[in-house]
Amino acid sequence: MNSSTEADHGAASSDDAAVAGAPEKASAAVPGPPAPAGRGVPKWRRTLRPYLLIVPALLLTGGILYPFGLGLYYTVFDFAASKPQPDFVGLENYRRIFTDSSFWDSAWVTVLYAVGAAAVETVLGVAVALLLHRSTLVGRVLEKVLILPLMIAPVIAAIIWKLMLQPSVGVVNHLLRPFGLGGVQWTDTPTGALLSSIAVDVWVYTPFVAILALAGLRSLPASPFEAAAVDGAGWWFTFRKLTMPMLWPYVLVAVIFRFMDSLKVFDIIYALTEGGPGDSTVVLQIRAYLEAIRFQRYSFGLSYMIVLWAVVYLAAMVLVRYLGRIQNRAAEVPK
């Protein structure tokens, strides 16, 4: 009995010791708190890291501002191929531009082109987006095909359309001939050349507007439309009172991009008409090219580009401010 009692006591003592030692082993196995970030990094590297992160932005900004500043510098001289030693002329190049009737003709053509292209692309883009918004098999197939014009370079698209619009061998006149409309001189008249250029721009960039509008449609909340359907609202009322007010910020983003891009168009018009017939499609960008490259009046051509930059900048600033007001109104945020 005594021996068995002593054995039990010894076993209990060993168990107690094991239990007592368990927390120590457990505490030894649990890792401590993580070391503070950057403890092993030298202080000078931590100090330098924020400045290194902004180096790409500074390089990009410098790469933009340097040629812009150099262009401004050249505009106050009279650099030209016929004058290897230019003189300082101040604002004379700008005075010549604003007193030249060809500048105002080019400015008018530029405005007509930009407004016409942006307006038609906006209407067609929203209409296509509304059609594709319906979940049908045809809509899903067309949604994939819609992006194809954006995959073609604008200058290539203009060359293709130039061949298609040829009066004698073009496929467009061939298709219209059964309707008595064959032989149309699409790019041989001033009005036809401008309209043809706008049509090519519309063909290339309408998918861009449609994609943005379709993304906006799919992001609109469903509850207002469900409530309108319960109240028996018609399609036109729903579109005018619900869809367009909420979709307009998305559409206006597309309008801003397309209007600014159309103001500085060059590739489509030059590949299609080269500014002709005459000067009927010479926009400001082509006028700058002609002055600087073809006529080799470098400072005068750069002055055209600076004026065009100012026009695009002012137009973008006005449209962006209007976009802010529209976004606040759509979100019902007080000013």
Side-chain angles (χ1 to χ4, degrees):
M1 290 291 293
N2 294 335
S3 61
S4 62
T5 305
E6 292 176 359
D8 294 339
H9 180 71
S13 300
S14 62
D15 293 339
D16 295 340
V19 172
E24 296 179 0
K25 294 180 180 179
S27 62
V30 175
R39 174 179 291 179
V41 180
K43 183 178 180 181
W44 66 271
R45 289 181 59 184
R46 295 199 302 270
T47 305
L48 190 62
R49 184 179 299 169
Y51 299 98
L52 292 177
L53 292 175
I54 65 173
V55 167
L58 291 177
L59 291 177
L60 181 62
T61 304
I64 295 174
L65 293 181
Y66 175 74
F68 181 77
L70 191 62
L72 279 176
Y73 172 75
Y74 285 155
T75 60
V76 297
F77 291 87
D78 56 352
F79 282 96
S82 60
K83 193 167 187 179
Q85 299 296 329
D87 298 324
F88 178 80
V89 295
L91 300 178
E92 176 63 21
N93 289 320
Y94 297 101
R95 188 197 66 79
R96 288 176 55 196
I97 286 177
F98 290 113
T99 56
D100 189 0
S101 61
S102 61
F103 165 77
W104 297 107
D105 294 338
S106 298
W108 176 244
V109 174
T110 303
V111 172
L112 286 178
Y113 182 93
V115 172
V120 176
E121 288 163 10
T122 301
V123 174
L124 289 181
V126 173
V128 171
L130 290 172
L131 292 175
L132 296 181
H133 188 53
R134 301 176 179 271
S135 298
T136 61
L137 178 60
V138 176
R140 288 193 293 269
V141 173
L142 291 179
E143 184 178 348
K144 306 300 185 293
V145 179
L146 184 66
I147 199 173
L148 290 179
L150 292 175
M151 301 172 63
I152 303 175
V155 65
I156 301 300
I159 293 174
I160 293 173
W161 276 97
K162 184 177 183 178
L163 296 174
M164 293 172 61
L165 294 174
Q166 286 293 324
S168 57
V169 298
V171 65
V172 175
N173 279 341
H174 177 73
L175 294 175
L176 293 178
R177 191 168 290 117
F179 303 97
L181 300 175
V184 178
Q185 306 290 328
W186 294 101
T187 59
D188 293 341
T189 61
T191 302
L194 182 60
L195 293 179
S196 299
S197 302
I198 293 176
V200 175
D201 196 295
V202 169
W203 183 84
V204 174
Y205 290 110
T206 295
F208 172 77
V209 180
I211 290 172
L212 287 183
L214 183 60
L217 283 172
R218 291 177 175 174
S219 66
L220 298 181
S223 55
F225 299 95
E226 294 172 353
V230 171
D231 293 339
W235 178 87
W236 176 245
F237 180 86
T238 303
F239 174 77
R240 186 165 50 92
K241 295 296 184 179
L242 291 178
T243 304
M244 278 311 297
M246 291 190 290
L247 184 64
W248 184 237
Y250 299 93
V251 175
L252 190 57
V253 170
V255 171
I256 291 173
F257 278 105
R258 289 306 313 132
F259 185 71
M260 288 192 303
D261 199 37
S262 299
L263 282 176
K264 52 188 181 65
V265 66
F266 175 84
D267 44 10
I268 290 178
I269 292 181
Y270 193 79
L272 188 66
T273 66
E274 295 187 10
D279 289 344
S280 58
T281 57
V282 175
V283 293
L284 289 176
Q285 189 88 312
I286 294 181
R287 179 70 66 185
Y289 164 79
L290 294 176
E291 293 291 345
I293 305 301
R294 183 170 296 182
F295 305 145
Q296 296 183 342
R297 296 194 286 258
Y298 309 124
S299 293
F300 196 53
L302 280 171
S303 301
Y304 263 99
M305 292 303 301
I306 297 299
V307 171
L308 178 59
W309 169 83
V311 171
V312 174
Y313 177 79
L314 292 175
M317 187 169 58
V318 171
L319 289 173
V320 168
R321 288 184 177 179
Y322 180 65
L323 173 62
R325 292 198 297 267
I326 291 296
Q327 288 176 333
N328 291 339
R329 190 182 308 166
E332 297 183 353
V333 176
K335 295 182 180 180

